[in-house]
């Protein structure tokens, strides 16, 4: 990888797991390197390791959106350029 990762924002529906639930099921998805519960327009952020846009789309539409609690997603590519 060239230090690029995909950030996937997820909007939940009423079927969603609550933030205090055990999120260890994410270990089943090797593409997910980090996950967080968020507030605001989106409910969860996933950092996904994907080699190209096609691989990201495969993950989003075959795995993530197959969950009955996913209402919407938004994906962006991110490259770290600085950290403290």
């Amino acid at each position: 990888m060239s230090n690029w990762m995909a950030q996937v924002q997820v909007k939940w529906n009423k079927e969603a797991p609550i933030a205090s639930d055990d999120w260890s099921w994410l270990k089943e998805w090797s593409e997910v390197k980090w996950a967080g519960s968020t507030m605001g327009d989106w409910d969860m952020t996933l950092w996904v390791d994907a080699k190209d846009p096609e691989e990201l789309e495969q993950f989003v539409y075959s795995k993530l959106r197959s969950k009955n609690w996913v209402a919407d997603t938004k994906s962006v590519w991110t490259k770290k350029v600085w950290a403290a």
Side-chain angles (χ1 to χ4, degrees), residues 25-69:
W25 59 269
L26 282 165
K27 292 178 185 177
E28 297 172 15
W29 292 347
S30 61
E31 302 91 344
V32 177
K33 302 305 176 194
W34 184 92
S37 180
T38 57
M39 296 173 55
D41 293 336
W42 301 95
D43 299 303
M44 179 169 66
T45 299
L46 301 176
W47 286 97
V48 178
D49 190 358
K51 67 181 178 184
D52 54 36
E54 292 80 22
E55 189 173 272
L56 177 63
E57 291 300 308
Q58 180 71 21
F59 168 77
V60 169
Y61 287 96
S62 294
K63 290 186 178 178
L64 183 58
R65 284 188 171 245
S66 69
K67 298 292 186 185
N68 67 339
W69 48 264

